[in-house]
Amino acid sequence: MKDMRGIFTAFGFLLFALVYLGMTLTYPPEARLFPMIVLTVMVIMCAFQLCVELLKRPAAAESGEAEDFTGQDPVPEWRMLLYTALGVVMIWAFGLITGLCVYLLFYFSFVSRLSWRKNLLITGGTAIFYYILFVKVLKIFYRGVFGIFV
Amino acid sequence: MDAVLHGLTAILNWHTILLCFVSMFVAMIIGILPGLGGLACLSLLMPFIYTMDAPMALAFLVAVSGASDAGGYITSILVNVPGNPEGMATCWDGFPMTRRGEAQRAIGIASMSSVMGGIIGVFVLLALIPVMRPLVLAFTPSEYFALIMVGLMFIAGLVGKSVIKGLIAGAFGMALSFTGSDPVTGVARFTYGSLYLWNGIDFGVLVIGIYAFAEMINMAVEGMPIATMIDGSGKKGSQWAGQLRGIMDVVRNWKTLIQCSMLGSMIGLIPGLGAVVANVATYGYAAKMSKHPELFGKGAPEGIIASESANNARWGGSLVPTLAFGVPGSAGMAFLLGAFLVFGIVPGKDMLTTHLDLTFTMIWTYILTTVISCVAAMVFARPFARIALIPPKIIVPVVIVIGLVGAYSVGSRLPDVIVAGAMGIVGYYMMKYNYSRPVFVIGFVMGKMAERSFHLSMQMFGGYFIFRRFTLSILVLGTLLTLVPIVRAWRKEKRSAAT
């Protein structure tokens, strides 16, 4: 079976190039000249790559071993992408340090399934380190939408 | 001479030295983590440069670069997992030495070779500076543009499995670099009406996403433990005797050291070849020139000497096109170039004239950090290697959090965090489907420079500037250098398919 995600990735790049190329038409000639050249080349290459992906032979039938070699506790891909996005949301909602703590506590509890002691130790240690480095030393802080702490 | 001394005094203050020590320590730890390496390390620590002045920031980045290499070879030797891609060839002889109880000897060889290779690479750089100056002054924007295009094509052809995918990645990077105000007309492009994007996408934020986050997502999805065991010499006191023996191995094989360092430096001069090629090519060369080639791959000291000396020597070589032409000699140099942009430093003749003291600041920092980090590697080899045993389920969320906070610290803007997260997802798919991320980063860094050179060339010479003798020669040569290996590989594939 063909790897559809490889095709979607190639298509994604092509779509990006086409959209950007369309956007350049709204800019003055001097502002759009070089981007148009680059994006036109990109469209051609992406179209070529998409054809290659579509014409690629499907992967050979599995012989009984898993095609992708995975280790212990792999996280499903869609979930990991969601967790990454969740990290962004946590920072937005709870602020820099609090968001960091909430995210780590969540991840260690529900994904890594660590004991509460290890969870608190690592989360606490990371939070203290970042509080000292960012809030106290670099004076960088963000309270988040809910502004719970810092 | 003034520049040499100014460059040295710029780092001889307690702020910079303390910063270098901290960055070295962090970089070594990150360098030890397989899958992260120098580029991820630079991307994670990049946001900190915004709070520094130019000499301190450049010293910081150079220290990180030098120290992460040292961390990388520890895991290559002790657990047969390269800490960074350029540590690959070190595994081939380092781990067999560990298996036969000579781990500390291997670490001694790698440390000494790294230090000497780095110093030789710097001497190559110093030797080339007087020669590069008149050459740089003879370059017009037209030639700069040609060099940038050729560099991008060349890099796309060498890094990654597919040239087309490499070029797509490079074009993608360039397209993203166009975000913000146009350098010629000042028109806002690709900003979607958002004020945030008026200054473009920040380089530091981009690389945190495309490297650090992408690697962590991949590590979590694969669920692969970094390493399941570490090995080392067991007897008390044998650590130092073993490492001393390793140092003497390097002294005995001084010819291999010098030849491989010079070769690594030369490879570093060519944009795009980078440390992986330096690593493997010099290993192959050393094996061919050795009196006992049959020992390579089974624990030959010369194998580690070749690999590690070339790794560090190519740094000096890759700095040459970066400083002289603004064409990054490697993906790591693209970060340095990004830092130049942050501080408004324009690479080119200025780096060899007005800012020569900055150039020497980087050189001195590199020498200093290479020496100190190699000594630290020798002292802390065993405890450092234990970090590689930390399972992904702990490492992944911690690094993600480091990245998110780092992305915010760039400009204290929440959209930076969103951009980093989004680029992480994009970077993961790029990694998974072999769209070269180093080429993407180089395309992003060079995009604005290429556009500026393009417009200047158009104004100075008109639309036919690419037909100028020197410009055309560079373009033709570069295209040939890119196409010839592709055609060869295609013919080879056809022949093997026929048989």
Side-chain angles (χ1 to χ4, degrees):
Chain A
M1 194 177 146
K2 284 188 190 183
D3 187 356
M4 293 304 293
R5 281 174 293 183
I7 295 170
F8 287 144
T9 306
F11 181 72
F13 278 121
L14 177 64
L15 196 64
F16 168 87
L18 285 169
V19 166
Y20 262 49
L21 195 57
M23 286 169 78
T24 60
L25 297 173
T26 61
Y27 306 138
E30 274 183 341
R32 71 171 180 235
L33 177 58
F34 193 68
M36 273 188 90
I37 295 170
V38 171
L39 289 164
T40 304
V41 171
M42 188 177 171
V43 164
I44 294 167
M45 290 190 297
C46 287
F48 178 81
Q49 184 59 36
L50 188 59
C51 293
V52 166
E53 295 285 342
L54 287 167
L55 294 170
K56 221 189 259 184
R57 281 192 200 141
E62 288 179 14
S63 58
E65 278 188 43
E67 193 178 5
D68 293 322
F69 179 56
T70 52
Q72 308 163 2
D73 306 324
V75 180
E77 186 181 277
W78 67 269
R79 252 197 234 166
M80 195 55 221
L81 298 177
L82 196 66
Y83 294 146
T84 307
L86 193 64
V88 176
V89 169
M90 296 276 191
I91 299 274
W92 167 78
F94 301 112
L96 217 53
I97 304 299
T98 315
L100 171 166
C101 291
V102 171
Y103 181 74
L104 287 177
L105 285 169
F106 165 80
Y107 196 102
F108 288 143
S109 301
F110 297 106
V111 184
S112 309
R113 298 188 194 279
L114 294 186
S115 66
W116 65 268
R117 274 201 194 91
K118 256 191 194 168
N119 193 344
L120 286 175
L121 191 67
I122 300 172
T123 303
T126 310
I128 290 168
F129 175 74
Y130 273 87
Y131 179 76
I132 293 170
L133 181 63
F134 281 87
V135 180
K136 289 296 179 193
V137 175
L138 295 174
K139 307 272 189 254
I140 295 170
F141 47 84
Y142 170 67
R143 287 178 63 86
V145 167
F146 298 112
I148 292 171
F149 182 49
V150 69
Chain B
M1 198 52 175
D2 278 346
V4 177
L5 292 171
H6 276 134
L8 180 60
T9 50
I11 59 167
L12 290 180
N13 60 78
W14 73 269
H15 279 113
T16 309
I17 291 174
L18 183 65
L19 192 64
C20 286
F21 267 99
V22 170
S23 62
M24 267 179 357
F25 177 69
V26 174
M28 281 189 76
I29 290 174
I30 295 176
I32 278 169
L33 297 171
L36 288 185
L39 294 181
C41 190
L42 280 166
S43 71
L44 283 170
L45 297 176
M46 190 82 179
F48 291 94
I49 71 167
Y50 293 92
T51 57
M52 303 172 194
D53 58 22
M56 202 187 286
L58 293 175
F60 174 73
L61 288 177
V62 168
V64 165
S65 195
S68 63
D69 285 344
Y73 67 64
I74 290 174
T75 46
S76 297
I77 288 166
L78 292 178
V79 295
N80 201 28
V81 178
N84 38 45
E86 46 265 30
M88 224 164 35
T90 307
C91 291
W92 299 341
D93 282 290
F95 191 63
M97 288 187 83
T98 298
R99 290 207 108 134
R100 61 175 194 240
E102 292 180 324
Q104 300 301 340
R105 181 185 174 196
I107 287 170
I109 294 170
S111 300
M112 186 66 172
S113 306
S114 291
V115 170
M116 296 311 299
I119 291 172
I120 292 170
V122 160
F123 277 112
V124 168
L125 169 65
L126 291 173
L128 286 173
I129 282 176
V131 177
M132 292 308 285
R133 234 191 265 196
L135 197 63
V136 167
L137 291 173
F139 266 64
T140 67
S142 174
E143 283 79 43
Y144 269 104
F145 176 75
L147 258 185
I148 290 169
M149 289 296 112
V150 161
L152 205 53
M153 277 194 295
F154 204 55
I155 291 160
L158 287 167
V159 179
K161 296 177 186 171
S162 160
V163 176
I164 296 291
K165 285 182 173 177
L167 289 172
I168 290 171
F172 179 47
M174 283 185 117
L176 286 185
S177 78
F178 300 143
T179 307
S181 23
D182 168 38
V184 178
T185 61
V187 167
R189 296 181 303 190
F190 311 113
T191 58
Y192 310 99
S194 160
L195 207 57
Y196 163 72
L197 291 172
W198 269 69
N199 278 332
I201 298 173
D202 194 276
F203 177 72
V205 169
L206 185 96
V207 292
I208 284 174
I210 211 88
Y211 272 105
F213 286 174
E215 295 287 354
M216 287 303 104
I217 294 170
N218 189 55
M219 207 182 276
V221 166
E222 287 189 344
M224 291 292 287
I226 295 171
T228 53
M229 60 154 208
I230 56 169
D231 193 7
S233 50
K235 292 182 194 167
K236 235 183 180 181
S238 62
Q239 176 176 347
W240 305 114
Q243 288 181 12
L244 188 60
R245 200 172 152 209
I247 291 169
M248 294 314 295
D249 282 325
V250 177
V251 171
R252 267 196 296 274
N253 292 288
W254 62 271
K255 278 185 194 165
T256 306
L257 174 73
I258 290 174
Q259 285 169 6
C260 292
S261 299
M262 300 282 294
L263 183 58
S265 244
M266 295 299 142
I267 292 173
L269 280 173
I270 304 167
L273 288 184
V276 175
V277 173
N279 199 245
V280 174
T282 47
Y283 184 88
Y285 170 82
K288 275 192 185 157
M289 303 304 287
S290 171
K291 287 177 191 167
H292 302 284
E294 71 281 359
L295 294 178
F296 277 70
K298 294 173 191 161
E302 287 163 291
I304 303 175
I305 293 169
S307 159
E308 286 302 319
S309 61
N311 257 355
N312 285 61
R314 55 103 197 150
W315 187 88
S318 64
L319 199 55
V320 173
T322 308
L323 294 180
F325 301 109
V327 178
S330 62
M333 285 297 153
F335 282 80
L336 214 58
L337 209 50
F340 288 169
L341 296 175
V342 168
F343 292 103
I345 299 168
V346 180
K349 63 182 184 201
D350 279 354
M351 293 307 292
L352 307 176
T353 52
T354 325
H355 295 301
L356 191 58
D357 55 331
L358 269 179
T359 302
F360 278 104
T361 296
M362 289 189 281
I363 291 170
W364 282 117
T365 307
Y366 190 73
I367 293 173
L368 193 68
T369 52
T370 303
V371 171
I372 296 172
S373 57
C374 287
V375 169
M378 288 164 76
V379 171
F380 296 112
R382 226 182 135 73
F384 268 146
R386 287 194 181 278
I387 293 171
L389 298 176
I390 299 175
K393 61 184 180 183
I394 295 177
I395 278 287
V396 165
V398 172
V399 173
I400 285 178
V401 145
I402 288 173
L404 289 172
V405 175
Y408 182 81
S409 67
V410 165
S412 297
R413 297 174 301 186
L414 188 68
D416 285 336
V417 179
I418 299 169
V419 168
M423 290 313 303
I425 294 169
V426 170
Y428 168 69
Y429 281 105
M430 285 181 76
M431 192 167 75
K432 191 167 172 178
Y433 295 106
N434 300 312
Y435 290 88
S436 171
R437 289 172 301 156
V439 181
F440 165 80
V441 168
I442 290 169
F444 182 83
V445 170
M446 294 206 287
K448 281 252 158 73
M449 278 193 284
E451 186 172 16
R452 213 175 291 124
S453 306
F454 176 81
H455 282 292
L456 278 171
S457 306
M458 290 281 282
Q459 282 172 12
M460 285 169 77
F461 307 113
Y464 294 100
F465 73 89
I466 57 165
F467 296 109
R468 281 165 51 80
R469 251 185 319 206
F470 201 12
T471 307
L472 192 60
S473 314
I474 294 171
L475 283 170
V476 167
L477 189 65
T479 309
L480 283 172
L481 283 172
T482 308
L483 287 177
V484 163
I486 297 165
V487 170
R488 270 202 196 138
W490 176 73
R491 278 168 133 187
K492 192 176 171 187
E493 213 177 290
K494 280 257 170 194
R495 255 183 266 134
S496 49
T499 53

